Amino acid sequence: LLDIKNPVANDMNVIMKSADIKAVFATGQKAAQLYRKYCQPETGMEIITLPSTSPANWSVSYEKLFEAYEIILKYIKSF
């Protein structure tokens, strides 16, 4: 279990205002939770949560990870 006691969020608006960001992704539930709490109120963008790639997440097969991460293609193919 990841225990982050005093997180400090980066100023996401710096990049959000200067780049054409279509989506925000998080690898793992904790990263998504922290984004929702500390960054989403400022950015206004929802986050897409992807499964953790950590070896501790051994129950998710490579095939399932591949399938979950394919959603990214939807956003990068539009370039």
Side-chain angles (χ1 to χ4, degrees):
L1 179 63
L2 187 56
D3 183 25
I4 300 174
K5 297 194 187 291
N6 299 304
V8 177
N10 292 318
D11 184 358
M12 302 291 286
N13 283 314
V14 172
I15 194 168
M16 296 293 203
K17 290 179 180 176
S18 62
D20 187 22
I21 305 295
K22 301 286 186 207
V24 177
F25 299 92
T27 303
Q29 292 295 326
K30 188 63 176 183
Q33 176 188 24
L34 290 169
Y35 173 86
R36 282 187 200 100
K37 183 173 182 178
Y38 294 103
C39 299
Q40 189 172 335
E42 295 294 321
T43 66
M45 288 190 75
E46 295 285 327
I47 193 155
I48 298 169
T49 307
L50 301 168
S52 173
T53 57
S54 166
N57 193 21
W58 59 270
S59 64
V60 179
S61 68
Y62 171 80
E63 290 77 17
K64 292 285 185 189
L65 286 173
F66 186 87
E67 184 179 304
Y69 277 74
E70 274 189 309
I71 192 170
I72 296 170
L73 293 175
K74 174 177 148 183
Y75 296 94
I76 61 174
K77 284 189 174 185
S78 63
F79 288 106

